[in-house]
Amino acid sequence: MRHAAYIFDAYGTLFDVHAAVRRHAADIGPDGQLLSEIWRAKQLEYSWVRTLMGAYLDFWQLTEQALDFAFRKVPSVDPAMRSKLLDAYWRLDCYPEVPAVLRNLKDNGARLAILSNGSPAMLEAAVRSAGLDLILDEVFSVDSVRRFKTDQSVYDLVASSWRLYPEAISFQSSNRWDIAGAAKFGCRTVWINRSDQPDEYRDFPPSLILPSLEGLVTIG
Protein backbone atom coordinates (compact mmCIF):
# COMPACT_ATOMS: atom_id res chain seq x y z
CA MET A 1 0.00 0.00 0.00
CA ARG A 2 1.44 3.36 -1.02
CA HIS A 3 0.94 6.35 1.24
CA ALA A 4 0.63 10.04 0.49
CA ALA A 5 3.53 10.91 2.77
CA TYR A 6 6.53 9.10 4.18
CA ILE A 7 7.89 10.73 7.31
CA PHE A 8 11.22 9.70 8.79
CA ASP A 9 12.76 10.08 12.18
CA ALA A 10 16.30 11.39 11.74
CA TYR A 11 18.70 10.12 14.41
CA GLY A 12 19.09 6.35 14.35
CA THR A 13 16.75 6.00 11.37
CA LEU A 14 18.38 8.04 8.61
CA PHE A 15 21.58 9.07 10.42
CA ASP A 16 23.89 6.79 12.42
CA VAL A 17 24.09 8.32 15.90
CA HIS A 18 27.26 6.37 16.68
CA ALA A 19 29.14 7.67 13.65
CA ALA A 20 30.61 10.64 15.54
CA VAL A 21 32.43 8.45 18.04
CA ARG A 22 33.40 5.89 15.42
CA ARG A 23 35.00 8.63 13.31
CA HIS A 24 37.46 9.28 16.16
CA ALA A 25 37.73 5.71 17.43
CA ALA A 26 41.53 5.59 17.23
CA ASP A 27 41.90 8.62 19.49
CA ILE A 28 39.14 7.64 21.91
CA GLY A 29 40.32 4.11 22.68
CA PRO A 30 38.56 0.86 23.61
CA ASP A 31 35.73 2.49 25.57
CA GLY A 32 34.43 4.45 22.62
CA GLN A 33 31.33 2.31 22.10
CA LEU A 34 30.43 2.58 25.77
CA LEU A 35 30.82 6.36 25.61
CA SER A 36 28.62 6.53 22.51
CA GLU A 37 25.88 4.39 24.05
CA ILE A 38 25.76 6.49 27.22
CA TRP A 39 25.79 9.69 25.18
CA ARG A 40 22.78 8.54 23.18
CA ALA A 41 20.87 7.18 26.18
CA LYS A 42 21.24 10.39 28.20
CA GLN A 43 20.41 12.56 25.19
CA LEU A 44 17.04 10.81 24.92
CA GLU A 45 16.45 10.68 28.67
CA TYR A 46 16.94 14.43 28.93
CA SER A 47 14.38 15.00 26.16
CA TRP A 48 11.73 12.91 27.93
CA VAL A 49 12.35 14.42 31.36
CA ARG A 50 12.31 18.00 30.10
CA THR A 51 9.07 17.42 28.20
CA LEU A 52 7.45 16.01 31.34
CA MET A 53 8.70 18.99 33.35
CA GLY A 54 7.74 21.57 30.72
CA ALA A 55 11.33 22.85 30.76
CA TYR A 56 12.37 22.81 27.11
CA LEU A 57 15.94 23.15 25.93
CA ASP A 58 16.76 22.53 22.28
CA PHE A 59 18.22 19.21 21.26
CA TRP A 60 21.69 20.59 20.66
CA GLN A 61 21.94 21.73 24.26
CA LEU A 62 20.80 18.29 25.41
CA THR A 63 23.36 16.68 23.11
CA GLU A 64 26.13 18.73 24.73
CA GLN A 65 24.93 17.97 28.24
CA ALA A 66 24.63 14.26 27.48
CA LEU A 67 28.19 14.11 26.15
CA ASP A 68 29.50 15.86 29.26
CA PHE A 69 27.75 13.24 31.40
CA ALA A 70 29.18 10.44 29.25
CA PHE A 71 32.72 11.76 29.79
CA ARG A 72 32.18 11.67 33.55
CA LYS A 73 30.88 8.10 33.36
CA VAL A 74 33.73 6.94 31.13
CA PRO A 75 36.85 8.61 32.59
CA SER A 76 39.17 6.59 30.34
CA VAL A 77 38.14 8.85 27.43
CA ASP A 78 39.93 12.20 27.28
CA PRO A 79 37.40 15.07 27.67
CA ALA A 80 39.61 17.05 25.30
CA MET A 81 37.81 15.06 22.55
CA ARG A 82 34.63 17.01 23.31
CA SER A 83 34.88 19.60 20.54
CA LYS A 84 35.82 17.02 17.90
CA LEU A 85 32.89 14.76 18.82
CA LEU A 86 30.39 17.60 18.86
CA ASP A 87 31.66 18.83 15.50
CA ALA A 88 31.29 15.32 14.07
CA TYR A 89 27.69 15.15 15.29
CA TRP A 90 26.77 17.90 12.83
CA ARG A 91 27.88 15.63 9.94
CA LEU A 92 26.66 12.18 10.90
CA ASP A 93 26.83 9.46 8.24
CA CYS A 94 23.49 8.37 6.84
CA TYR A 95 22.85 4.65 6.49
CA PRO A 96 23.91 3.28 3.09
CA GLU A 97 20.43 2.56 1.73
CA VAL A 98 18.91 5.92 2.65
CA PRO A 99 19.50 8.04 -0.51
CA ALA A 100 18.32 5.36 -2.93
CA VAL A 101 15.21 4.49 -0.91
CA LEU A 102 14.17 8.11 -0.56
CA ARG A 103 14.71 8.77 -4.27
CA ASN A 104 12.60 5.72 -5.16
CA LEU A 105 9.72 6.84 -2.96
CA LYS A 106 9.99 10.36 -4.35
CA ASP A 107 9.98 9.11 -7.93
CA ASN A 108 6.77 7.21 -7.16
CA GLY A 109 5.02 10.42 -6.15
CA ALA A 110 5.29 10.37 -2.36
CA ARG A 111 5.97 13.45 -0.27
CA LEU A 112 8.95 13.01 2.03
CA ALA A 113 9.91 14.72 5.25
CA ILE A 114 11.89 14.36 8.44
CA LEU A 115 10.18 14.71 11.82
CA SER A 116 12.84 14.94 14.48
CA ASN A 117 13.78 16.01 17.98
CA GLY A 118 16.77 17.73 16.40
CA SER A 119 17.09 21.49 16.37
CA PRO A 120 16.60 23.20 12.99
CA ALA A 121 20.32 23.98 12.68
CA MET A 122 21.33 20.39 13.50
CA LEU A 123 18.92 18.95 10.98
CA GLU A 124 19.85 21.41 8.24
CA ALA A 125 23.53 20.50 8.64
CA ALA A 126 22.90 16.74 8.71
CA VAL A 127 20.57 16.79 5.71
CA ARG A 128 22.96 18.88 3.63
CA SER A 129 25.97 16.79 4.62
CA ALA A 130 24.18 13.60 3.53
CA GLY A 131 22.98 15.15 0.27
CA LEU A 132 19.31 14.69 1.15
CA ASP A 133 18.33 18.34 0.83
CA LEU A 134 17.27 17.92 -2.81
CA ILE A 135 15.13 14.85 -2.05
CA LEU A 136 13.16 15.86 1.04
CA ASP A 137 10.13 18.11 0.76
CA GLU A 138 10.36 19.42 4.31
CA VAL A 139 12.14 19.01 7.63
CA PHE A 140 10.00 19.29 10.75
CA SER A 141 11.69 20.02 14.08
CA VAL A 142 10.06 19.74 17.49
CA ASP A 143 11.53 23.17 18.17
CA SER A 144 8.35 24.73 16.82
CA VAL A 145 6.22 23.15 19.57
CA ARG A 146 8.97 23.11 22.24
CA ARG A 147 8.16 19.56 23.28
CA PHE A 148 9.92 16.34 22.37
CA LYS A 149 8.61 13.01 21.12
CA THR A 150 6.44 11.20 22.11
CA ASP A 151 4.24 14.21 22.88
CA GLN A 152 1.32 13.98 20.46
CA SER A 153 1.69 17.60 19.37
CA VAL A 154 4.93 16.58 17.64
CA TYR A 155 3.27 14.09 15.30
CA ASP A 156 0.50 16.58 14.60
CA LEU A 157 3.08 18.92 13.08
CA VAL A 158 3.00 16.93 9.85
CA ALA A 159 -0.74 16.26 9.78
CA SER A 160 -1.61 19.91 10.38
CA SER A 161 1.02 21.38 8.07
CA TRP A 162 0.28 19.06 5.16
CA ARG A 163 -3.46 18.76 5.88
CA LEU A 164 -3.36 14.98 6.03
CA TYR A 165 -5.26 12.49 8.13
CA PRO A 166 -2.84 10.48 10.30
CA GLU A 167 -3.67 7.25 8.45
CA ALA A 168 -2.37 8.81 5.20
CA ILE A 169 1.06 9.15 6.80
CA SER A 170 3.62 6.36 6.88
CA PHE A 171 5.99 7.07 9.77
CA GLN A 172 9.40 5.32 9.93
CA SER A 173 11.63 5.20 12.99
CA SER A 174 14.30 2.95 14.46
CA ASN A 175 13.16 3.93 17.97
CA ARG A 176 10.42 1.66 19.28
CA TRP A 177 9.13 4.32 21.70
CA ASP A 178 8.82 6.75 18.75
CA ILE A 179 6.83 4.15 16.82
CA ALA A 180 4.51 3.80 19.81
CA GLY A 181 3.96 7.56 19.88
CA ALA A 182 3.17 7.74 16.16
CA ALA A 183 0.89 4.68 16.40
CA LYS A 184 -1.10 6.34 19.17
CA PHE A 185 -1.49 9.40 16.95
CA GLY A 186 -2.94 7.15 14.24
CA CYS A 187 -0.14 6.89 11.66
CA ARG A 188 0.84 3.80 9.78
CA THR A 189 4.13 2.93 11.50
CA VAL A 190 7.20 1.10 10.25
CA TRP A 191 9.73 0.11 12.88
CA ILE A 192 13.21 -0.03 11.36
CA ASN A 193 14.68 -2.55 13.78
CA ARG A 194 18.30 -2.36 12.66
CA SER A 195 19.77 -4.11 15.70
CA ASP A 196 17.10 -6.82 16.17
CA GLN A 197 15.78 -5.45 19.46
CA PRO A 198 12.92 -7.21 21.27
CA ASP A 199 9.49 -5.68 20.88
CA GLU A 200 7.88 -3.56 23.59
CA TYR A 201 4.89 -1.22 23.99
CA ARG A 202 2.71 -4.09 22.83
CA ASP A 203 -0.46 -2.02 23.10
CA PHE A 204 0.88 0.29 20.35
CA PRO A 205 2.26 -2.19 17.82
CA PRO A 206 4.02 -1.19 14.59
CA SER A 207 2.21 -1.76 11.33
CA LEU A 208 5.38 -3.29 9.91
CA ILE A 209 8.86 -4.26 11.11
CA LEU A 210 11.84 -4.05 8.74
CA PRO A 211 15.60 -4.56 9.31
CA SER A 212 16.38 -1.50 7.14
CA LEU A 213 14.58 1.05 5.00
CA GLU A 214 15.09 -1.04 1.85
CA GLY A 215 11.84 -2.93 2.38
CA LEU A 216 9.87 0.25 1.79
CA VAL A 217 10.75 0.06 -1.89
CA THR A 218 9.11 -3.34 -2.37
CA ILE A 219 6.42 -3.27 0.29
CA GLY A 220 5.48 0.38 0.04
Side-chain angles (χ1 to χ4, degrees):
M1 178 181 178
R2 294 287 175 179
H3 284 70
Y6 287 79
I7 309 301
F8 299 86
D9 169 60
Y11 298 108
T13 304
L14 299 182
F15 307 116
D16 184 352
V17 295
H18 300 295
V21 169
R22 194 166 54 245
R23 193 172 298 171
H24 296 286
D27 294 325
I28 291 172
D31 289 333
Q33 184 60 34
L34 176 61
L35 181 87
S36 192
E37 289 172 0
I38 294 173
W39 186 8
R40 174 61 170 168
K42 299 305 287 189
Q43 180 193 51
L44 294 175
E45 179 189 323
Y46 294 164
S47 74
W48 299 326
V49 171
R50 285 192 167 273
T51 294
L52 288 169
M53 291 194 302
Y56 181 81
L57 287 178
D58 75 38
F59 203 57
W60 181 246
Q61 292 173 280
L62 302 190
T63 300
E64 292 178 309
Q65 292 177 4
L67 179 57
D68 291 337
F69 178 86
F71 278 128
R72 293 194 294 271
K73 287 290 288 185
V74 189
S76 60
V77 179
D78 186 357
M81 293 297 301
R82 184 181 191 273
S83 61
K84 289 183 178 180
L85 290 176
L86 289 173
D87 181 66
Y89 210 91
W90 289 84
R91 296 173 283 102
L92 293 175
D93 300 330
C94 70
Y95 289 99
E97 81 277 12
V98 168
V101 169
L102 267 57
R103 286 193 195 97
N104 183 282
L105 294 171
K106 183 82 168 179
D107 289 345
N108 279 280
R111 298 174 75 183
L112 307 180
I114 283 174
L115 175 63
S116 174
N117 279 341
S119 70
M122 290 175 71
L123 293 169
E124 181 182 0
V127 166
R128 187 184 301 114
S129 177
L132 303 181
D133 49 323
L134 299 180
I135 306 174
L136 293 165
D137 294 294
E138 198 158 351
V139 177
F140 295 95
S141 167
V142 303
D143 203 56
S144 61
V145 294
R146 297 181 65 83
R147 300 183 70 82
F148 292 104
K149 298 174 181 178
T150 57
D151 190 270
Q152 295 292 279
S153 64
V154 172
Y155 305 100
D156 190 50
L157 279 170
V158 178
S160 294
S161 179
W162 284 5
R163 298 182 179 275
L164 293 171
Y165 290 111
E167 56 266 27
I169 299 169
S170 180
F171 180 76
Q172 288 67 227
S173 179
S174 64
N175 302 299
R176 184 60 181 90
W177 49 268
D178 193 11
I179 288 296
K184 183 178 186 298
F185 185 70
C187 298
R188 180 253 202 162
T189 54
V190 182
W191 180 25
I192 308 301
N193 190 5
R194 295 186 182 277
S195 54
D196 195 27
Q197 294 295 308
D199 196 11
E200 51 188 336
Y201 307 107
R202 296 296 184 91
D203 50 338
F204 296 106
S207 308
L208 185 64
I209 303 174
L210 297 173
S212 76
L213 290 168
E214 289 178 315
L216 290 175
V217 174
T218 55
I219 297 172

